Amino acid sequence: MKEEFLEYIRQVSRNRKVGIWGTGKKSGEAVKAAENAGIEINAFIDNDESRWQSLFNNKLVLSPAEISKEWYILIGVGYCPHIISQLSDMGFVEGEDFIAVLEEGFYTALHKHKDAPKVPEVTTEVLRNITSEIIRRIPYEYIAWFDEEKFDEFEEKFDVSILYNKKYSRRYRRKLMEHFFAYQFIKQMNWSEQDIFVDMAGGSSPFAKYLREQEHIRAYSLDICESRYHYLDYYIQGNGAHTVFQDGSVTAVSIQSSFEAFSGDLDMKIVKEIARILKSGGKAFICPLYLHEKQLSMVSPSCYGMGLADENSLEVIRTDCRDALPMSRYYSVEGLEERLLGRAKQWGLVYKIYILPDDIVEKDEFVYLKYILELQKE
């Protein structure tokens, strides 16, 4: 690490107890950084209860409940938005009270572009304006059938904790909600043994596995990266813009929490591919559909100004995913029509937007689930 970064760590942690959060493989890099900065490590912190009060690197492992603002925390985990959220919920401030010590490049880029615009918050008023614009321009339907008891039943059966920790992830409920709505839409369709469902950009989500085991639906998951379920032949590693499915062979497709990350023209290519593989009457659900008052290209700090932003969009810096998500897109309603919906119609798809009731919408600054896009093959 550069001396400037080490000096920064020395200054912010001065006169405080220092703890390293994490006891995994990456924690050794955090230990080395602390040693290079000449900082004494007082303890380790971990969410794993089985490690509490044990020794790690000859230091005691504490539970998160045992630390206070007298501590300065060096996060020694490679990808740590959930830990940052947890510390923030505990009243710790990034930089002032903790730092992800392995992310030198992230902090360097953030400082370099400190004057660049950040992602604007999505407020209730913003959502109200977006909804008014949808009503004015696009076919829509309000969802009035959400049932908390059915949601609880779904949670009991569908284990999303593989991806999101319920106790520590502030976005756990929203992630589960995305799958719940996709599940409800799928359940409303008529299914035979021959019908095919595709969880596109499914990654390591257990959704396809769940549909196979619980609903006996012939479900597949497709992702450009290898899934943790790669040993199952229905988890396919491949490009969503060029799938292995035959023309008109698929009954339904869903995309949960990933469509916004299809950079370049990949969003258009995937919608065109969906139009190819859907059978007549087949449907695709994009959940959530992220909208804002302006067309936004949100980039990680190190990607700012690198040409990843869409033309005619406002390029803003996004920090919640650190440097793990180079670009993500929020459509304006007008931009959605021009970029996607007009083309979808040419490819034989009709569309509408589902609007969720305000009382079940959970907002986390600019992250939310309010709108779902349905595409249906004519």
Side-chain angles (χ1 to χ4, degrees), residues 200-245:
M200 193 168 284
S204 289
S205 167
F207 196 41
K209 186 172 182 288
Y210 172 83
L211 291 175
R212 287 237 176 187
E213 295 174 352
Q214 298 293 326
E215 302 296 335
H216 308 293
I217 291 175
R218 191 178 168 197
Y220 294 86
S221 179
L222 176 71
D223 198 277
I224 196 71
C225 299
E226 184 178 80
S227 170
R228 73 174 66 206
Y229 298 112
H230 62 88
Y231 57 89
L232 299 172
D233 60 6
Y234 55 89
Y235 274 78
I236 303 169
Q237 186 175 1
N239 189 333
H242 306 284
T243 73
V244 298
F245 301 100

Side-chain angles (χ1 to χ4, degrees), residues 101-120:
V101 72
L102 305 183
E103 298 186 35
E104 180 181 1
F106 169 79
Y107 291 107
T108 300
L110 192 61
H111 179 72
K112 178 181 178 182
H113 302 297
K114 61 181 182 298
D115 296 325
K118 305 300 188 294
V119 182

